[in-house]
Amino acid sequence: MSTTFAKVAQEWHEQQALRWSDTHAEKTWRWLETKIFPRLGKMPIRHITTRHCADFLKEVADNKTIHTAHRIKLILSQVFKYALSTGQLGDPETGQVTVPTDHC
């Protein structure tokens, strides 16, 4: 079974929270729980493509604000970079990605 986006995001958040203020860590976790996990949380991170992200961000921008879409894009990007660097999307030594490279 593939690792879900939520699992990778939780690992990323735990690592980052050590460097963040408590307020920032709590706010970022709320963004994940309320805005991102309902849409992508249960999906295997290896299966999330650029199209998934683009559709999600367009929907957010159309229904909320550009600021919200931008913040979500930033979080998604950081989680995917973490997944790549920890080998959850490929080999961190070689940079070879074992999934389609069109993730967020």
Side-chain angles (χ1 to χ4, degrees), residues 1 20 35 42 45 51 63 80-83 90 95 104:
M1 183 161 103
W20 292 337
K35 297 178 179 10
K42 293 181 181 178
I45 194 160
R51 175 56 44 209
N63 295 315
F80 276 98
K81 285 178 185 175
Y82 171 81
C104 304

Side-chain angles (χ1 to χ4, degrees), residues 51-82:
R51 175 56 44 209
H52 289 113
C53 295
D55 290 348
F56 177 35
L57 292 170
K58 181 177 181 340
E59 181 182 310
V60 170
D62 289 348
N63 295 315
K64 304 224 186 283
T65 66
I66 295 298
H67 169 74
T68 300
H70 176 75
R71 180 77 177 130
I72 289 172
K73 182 180 178 186
L74 177 65
I75 293 170
L76 291 175
S77 176
Q78 291 175 1
V79 171
F80 276 98
K81 285 178 185 175
Y82 171 81

Side-chain angles (χ1 to χ4, degrees), residues 2-50:
S2 296
T3 303
T4 64
F5 178 86
K7 171 98 170 74
V8 176
Q10 181 178 4
E11 290 175 16
W12 165 79
H13 184 269
E14 288 170 359
Q15 294 267 326
Q16 296 302 310
L18 299 173
R19 302 179 320 152
W20 292 337
S21 70
D22 290 345
T23 302
H24 183 72
E26 291 169 12
K27 185 175 180 181
T28 301
W29 186 251
R30 275 196 312 273
W31 276 82
L32 284 162
E33 282 189 315
T34 62
K35 297 178 179 10
I36 300 172
F37 289 167
R39 181 70 177 257
L40 301 175
K42 293 181 181 178
M43 292 181 71
I45 194 160
R46 292 175 181 253
H47 296 169
I48 299 172
T49 66
T50 300

